[in-house]
Amino acid sequence: MEMTQQSNTTKRGRFRNLQDMWIRMRRNKLAMVGLFILIVLVLVAIFADQIAPYGFAEQDLASQFQPPSAEHWFGTDDLGRDIFSRVVYGSRISLKVGFISVGIALVIGTLIGAVTGYYGGRIDIALMRFIDVLQSIPDILLAIAILAALGPGLANLMIAVGIAAIPGYARIVRSSVLSIRDMEFVEAAKANGSSDFRIILKHIIPNCMAPIIVQATLGVAYAIINAAGLSFIGLGLEPPTPEWGAMLSGGRDYIRDHWYMTIFPGLAIVTTIFALNVLGDGLRDALDPKLKR
């Protein structure tokens, strides 16, 4: 009975914390704009089949290089494909790459950071030296090396971008675990006979969620940029997949006379990154008001 009451008290406390976070979040107008843009992008990705007036690979060679008009809102490309439709379908690809690659980095990085921070000693030294090696290589170069070995493709692109982002999550989680592993509630869990796995999963990681959430939100933006960069240089998705970076690469040869082929995919990337960055800043301030500038 007493444990049930404690559990209910904990749940009520977490609910109040969420309410307080949401109140602080709503005061940040820029963060709310970012959240609104992100929601719109997610809805566009989900309902791309209903929103796009044409198929992303549908060609009409008689309509090549059509400027923006009522029929083709963003114009057409060198193969007569509707750019608006391709940008809409591209949101599905870019968001999928961003979220799944961050998910890969988040799971592996959190596991490594939690284990090294909790146990310390030789385990910490061995794993963190491996993280140091990964972190010594720029993200984009590491992703290029992985893609060169695995080959192009959506799954390989997500794996490459995800692996390149692991060090950031591992270090953030490790530093958080080091600051809380000796706290009283952890010692109490040990005294009650809880296993290390249960302590890490139920007591330590939930108390590290604030920096993880902020890093993940900003990480989606970095993942989308890296994926677009890899597609731009031909190591990402293969045609006719409508990935924003690949669309930029395909339109650069025509940028002087047909600016719309690069402007609209570029604006889609810029808008998405802006939304994720301001949302990440807002979440950081809402989750820890002491960090607010």
Side-chain angles (χ1 to χ4, degrees), residues 109-268:
T110 299
L111 178 63
I112 293 174
V115 169
T116 56
Y118 183 76
Y119 289 106
R122 294 181 179 179
I123 294 177
D124 184 24
I125 293 173
L127 288 176
M128 292 315 295
R129 294 300 76 78
F130 171 69
I131 292 298
D132 288 341
V133 171
L134 288 181
Q135 201 164 28
S136 67
I137 307 172
D139 291 359
I140 192 70
L141 292 182
L142 181 58
I144 288 173
I146 295 171
L147 273 176
L150 298 179
L154 180 60
N156 293 341
L157 179 64
M158 292 186 292
I159 292 171
V161 174
I163 291 176
I166 288 174
Y169 295 93
R171 288 199 170 277
I172 287 174
V173 174
R174 178 179 178 271
S175 64
S176 298
V177 172
L178 287 174
S179 67
I180 65 176
R181 69 178 181 181
D182 295 325
M183 289 186 174
E184 293 180 357
F185 67 90
V186 177
E187 296 297 331
K190 290 179 181 179
N192 287 333
S194 297
S195 64
D196 290 344
F197 177 78
R198 180 179 176 83
I199 291 172
I200 292 173
L201 193 64
K202 188 173 182 179
H203 299 286
I204 291 182
I205 291 181
N207 285 280
C208 301
M209 288 309 296
I212 291 175
I213 291 172
V214 174
Q215 178 67 15
T217 305
L218 298 173
V220 174
Y222 297 138
I224 291 174
I225 289 178
N226 287 338
L230 291 168
S231 295
F232 185 82
I233 62 177
L235 289 176
L237 301 178
E238 298 178 341
T241 307
E243 201 278 330
W244 292 337
M247 292 176 67
L248 281 175
S249 179
R252 60 181 170 175
D253 293 334
Y254 311 101
I255 192 170
R256 288 180 178 271
D257 300 317
H258 309 289
W259 52 270
Y260 44 86
M261 288 182 61
T262 53
I263 288 294
F264 292 114
L267 284 175

Side-chain angles (χ1 to χ4, degrees), residues 7-50:
S7 177
N8 291 336
T9 301
T10 302
K11 290 179 180 179
R12 286 195 295 269
R14 289 177 180 174
F15 181 71
R16 281 197 298 269
N17 289 337
L18 288 174
Q19 283 184 316
D20 293 340
M21 186 202 76
W22 176 245
I23 291 171
R24 291 192 294 269
M25 185 79 173
R26 286 193 305 178
R27 293 173 184 163
N28 190 328
K29 302 302 182 184
L30 198 57
M32 295 306 294
V33 170
L35 178 61
F36 174 76
I37 293 173
L38 184 60
I39 291 173
V40 171
L41 287 170
V42 171
L43 291 175
V44 167
I46 293 173
F47 298 105
D49 295 327
Q50 288 73 39

Side-chain angles (χ1 to χ4, degrees), residues 27 89 274:
R27 293 173 184 163
Y89 278 105
F274 167 79

